[in-house]
Amino acid sequence: MTGYRTPLPDPAGWTAEEDSRGFFGPDSVTWRIHADPSYSAGGLRALMLQALHPVAMDGVARNSAAFRDEPWQRLIRTGQYVETLTFGTRTEARRTVARVRGLHHQLGGVEESTGRAYRVDDPDLLLWVHNCEVDSLLSTARRAGVPLTDADADRYVAEQVVAATLVGVPEDTVPRTVAALDAWFAEMRPSLAATAAARDAVRTLLLPPMPTWVQLLTPARPAWGGLAGLGFALLPVWARQMFSMPGLGLTDAAATGALRAFRQGLLALPVRMRQSPIVRAGFDRTAPAVSA
């Protein structure tokens, strides 16, 4: 399972314009999906889906002991990583990826149920995390009502090959179309399981610890519970069933309706309230190139 990891790209090969536009650019499907309000629900779906890989989940549980007590910091770091990779300059993205690679290379363990010794940066584990993210963000955006054709969806999967290779996944192992991604998940399903660590991680995401005053004096608990519950409801039927939750078609229809209402509500807010500084900086930096 441990094997070749792709080298980081050489900045000497970039022009100043390429560096400024980042690895995707404002004309990419990636920017359309990752800047949409549905991104947050898709990100939570991805984390819950990722938990079903016993070895990948063991890596999180073993090496992120603080997640149960302080999940907010990990969620913030994960969000900032994806946003920097998407909307940052190539230099910023490369620096962030190098830091994550250095951390992952030091971490590993032995997963009890499979007996597998692993490192967190084993390519197959990185591929699992990548594909869960791509599948979740894409499927959530489409269900939310983001206008995406089948060709757009395939283009997004193909664009995201860059993200996979940056973190260290060999390029020839990464799905490039929606059909290839679906086939990959079908092959993976027999090896997945809702381990105790996976169930605990999902419970933490659904009911994260909050200071008492926050729970009593603010709407944070119900607001977060609604968003996290929506992320869980957006999981595929087979994944919800693995967590011993209903896999009814009615659940899918209700989740889609709630997701669309959630997106429309956020779209009514000013951009500065629904987009992070990293996302806004990307659009501001590339605005002249877009309008030229």
Side-chain angles (χ1 to χ4, degrees):
M1 313 317 186
T2 300
Y4 172 78
R5 279 167 291 279
T6 56
L8 284 169
D10 183 359
W14 306 331
T15 66
E17 180 180 356
E18 287 172 336
D19 187 26
S20 179
R21 288 174 59 85
F23 285 105
F24 301 99
D27 54 348
S28 66
V29 180
T30 292
W31 276 41
R32 266 198 278 163
I33 290 176
H34 291 197
D36 191 81
S38 62
Y39 169 85
S40 56
L44 286 169
R45 179 193 189 272
L47 291 174
M48 295 176 185
L49 186 60
Q50 287 165 4
L52 289 172
H53 191 302
V55 181
M57 186 63 241
D58 187 77
V60 174
R62 186 182 302 274
N63 298 295
S64 299
F67 175 66
R68 181 183 298 178
D69 299 322
E70 299 180 358
W72 304 111
Q73 293 303 315
R74 180 178 175 84
L75 290 171
I76 290 170
R77 288 195 300 270
T78 300
Q80 289 176 336
Y81 170 81
V82 177
E83 288 184 342
T84 301
L85 190 63
T86 304
F87 298 99
T89 65
R90 292 191 178 191
T91 299
E92 292 168 342
R94 186 185 188 280
R95 185 184 307 122
T96 296
V97 170
R99 184 167 59 249
V100 170
R101 279 195 181 203
L103 177 63
H104 284 176
H105 194 66
Q106 304 172 44
L107 305 177
V110 178
E111 200 281 315
E112 184 176 344
S113 67
T114 61
R116 172 179 163 182
Y118 66 91
R119 276 209 319 244
V120 171
D121 65 351
D122 284 351
D124 67 310
L125 301 183
L126 296 175
L127 182 61
W128 167 254
V129 172
H130 169 80
N131 284 344
C132 286
E133 180 182 302
V134 171
D135 179 76
S136 293
L137 295 177
L138 174 60
S139 64
T140 298
R142 300 191 84 175
R143 290 174 69 176
V146 179
L148 296 166
T149 65
D150 289 345
D152 289 333
D154 279 338
R155 182 180 164 194
Y156 175 69
V157 177
E159 288 174 355
Q160 285 299 299
V161 174
V162 172
T165 58
L166 281 170
V167 81
V169 183
E171 183 175 352
D172 61 359
T173 68
V174 188
R176 290 180 171 273
T177 66
V178 172
L181 184 63
D182 290 344
W184 183 88
F185 271 105
E187 292 178 3
M188 287 295 299
R189 282 176 57 181
S191 63
L192 305 180
T195 62
R199 292 191 295 271
D200 186 58
V202 169
R203 279 195 296 268
T204 299
L205 286 170
L206 291 170
L207 294 170
M210 291 182 181
T212 301
W213 72 268
V214 172
Q215 298 190 59
L216 296 179
L217 301 179
T218 76
R221 173 65 75 191
W224 177 262
L227 177 59
L230 178 58
F232 186 89
L234 292 170
L235 285 169
V237 169
W238 58 263
R240 296 201 307 271
Q241 290 174 336
M242 290 183 72
F243 283 115
S244 300
M245 295 296 286
L248 304 175
L250 180 62
T251 303
D252 290 329
T256 298
L259 175 63
R260 293 195 171 210
F262 169 77
R263 177 176 184 260
Q264 290 303 315
L266 288 185
L267 284 174
L269 298 175
V271 171
R272 68 180 183 277
M273 294 180 63
R274 57 182 168 84
Q275 288 185 349
S276 77
I278 297 174
V279 177
R280 295 200 305 273
F283 279 105
D284 290 343
R285 188 181 63 252
T286 58
V290 173
S291 59

